[in-house]
Amino acid sequence: MPIPMRGRVRGSRRSTFDVRRTALGFVLLAVLVCGVGLTLRTALASAERHPVPAAAVLVVLVTGAVVLLRRRRNRRAAARGAVAAVETAYEVVDAALAEPAPAEPAPAYEPAPTAYEPAPPAAGPAAPEPVDWEAMDPYDFEEAVAALCRRDGCPDAEVVGGAGDLGADVVATTPDGRRLVVQCKRYTAENKVGSQDLQRFGGTCYAVHGASTAVVVTTSTFTEPALEYAAQCGIVCVDLAGLTAWGEDGAPLPWHTRPAALPVEG
């Protein structure tokens, strides 16, 4: 009995292995993988500065991958590759936006070198400059004594000396209201003020000028008889040493000194 032979199903076709097409597919896949890896590496390196161009490159690669995979008739693989590429592009953009490139530090400001001179320390009140009383002429000497009186609280002190002054060279009013009469003797060191000079002044300072305080100031010194007479008449004697101390604020004021004050030791 003859065995019937099953015929080949019509329309079926056995798939054949094509070496050329398979090799071409592997080559394209390798190129795609290398291109995608290189692009991702470049995009990640430059995404912080240029996120948009990096994403654009990835989109181009995605499009190319889709086209290649469609040529292979593998739509599922193409869809998976497209989704993966798009997600990678989003990650690149998010990384670029989340971590902005650090700003370059501004150059440190270095002021131009200047010569620094430290300010001198604050000084206290300046001491009065020493006065060369002996170098003055008689009129300047009287003016200088009147200036001392004004400095120390006698604003109305004035020079009245001259012909017929009757021994009064400077008159003033002390801060406590007393009448001050001063006689100025501009003598050299060898010419001392004697008792006769004191007697002439003592005869007019109280009776004529109405002095409450009488003072004799000299650029020399006083003799002992002159000091004795001054003590008897209540006259204050100021020699060169005492005058220098008065001018430098180093001695009591004449109207605060007892009469016939002895010469100040130099």
Side-chain angles (χ1 to χ4, degrees):
M1 177 179 181
I3 299 173
M5 299 295 292
R6 181 178 295 180
R8 182 179 296 179
V9 179
R10 190 176 184 179
S12 64
R13 185 178 58 181
R14 182 182 296 178
S15 59
T16 59
F17 179 74
D18 191 341
V19 177
R20 183 178 178 182
R21 293 181 63 185
T22 302
L24 179 59
F26 278 112
V27 170
L28 292 177
L29 182 60
V31 172
L32 178 60
V33 172
C34 293
V36 171
L38 180 62
T39 302
L40 288 176
R41 183 178 179 181
T42 304
L44 290 174
S46 62
E48 293 183 355
R49 295 185 178 180
H50 307 287
V52 176
V57 172
L58 290 177
V59 171
V60 172
L61 291 177
V62 169
T63 304
V66 171
V67 172
L68 290 176
L69 292 176
R70 281 186 176 181
R71 291 183 62 182
R72 294 290 297 168
R73 299 175 181 266
N74 193 345
R75 296 182 179 181
R76 292 183 179 179
R80 288 195 298 268
V83 171
V86 170
E87 290 179 354
T88 304
Y90 283 144
E91 291 177 0
V92 172
V93 174
D94 291 341
L97 296 177
E99 298 180 0
E104 296 183 358
Y109 173 73
E110 295 182 359
T114 56
Y116 174 72
E117 296 182 0
E129 295 183 0
V131 179
D132 190 357
W133 301 100
E134 297 176 285
M136 298 180 181
D137 60 36
Y139 180 75
D140 290 339
F141 180 56
E142 294 172 359
E143 288 290 346
V145 172
L148 283 179
C149 294
R150 289 191 292 269
R151 184 199 71 181
D152 294 331
C154 304
D156 62 343
E158 60 178 342
V159 176
V160 295
D165 60 9
L166 299 177
D169 296 318
V170 177
V171 295
T173 303
T174 63
D176 56 1
R178 290 179 290 164
R179 172 78 169 175
L180 175 66
V181 179
V182 183
Q183 185 178 64
C184 300
K185 295 292 186 182
R186 220 290 300 168
Y187 285 177
T188 61
E190 295 79 13
N191 187 12
K192 296 183 178 182
V193 179
S195 60
Q196 293 182 352
D197 297 317
L198 268 296
Q199 290 174 12
R200 285 193 292 270
F201 179 63
T204 59
C205 63
Y206 297 110
V208 177
H209 301 292
S212 300
T213 301
V215 181
V216 177
V217 181
T218 182
T219 55
S220 180
T221 57
F222 297 89
T223 63
E224 291 296 329
L227 293 176
E228 293 175 0
Y229 177 81
Q232 296 174 4
C233 298
I235 300 174
V236 178
C237 296
V238 181
D239 62 4
L240 179 60
L243 176 61
T244 302
W246 179 20
E248 297 176 356
D249 291 335
L253 301 178
W255 48 90
H256 293 163
T257 307
R258 61 185 177 87
L262 294 177
V264 177
E265 296 295 337

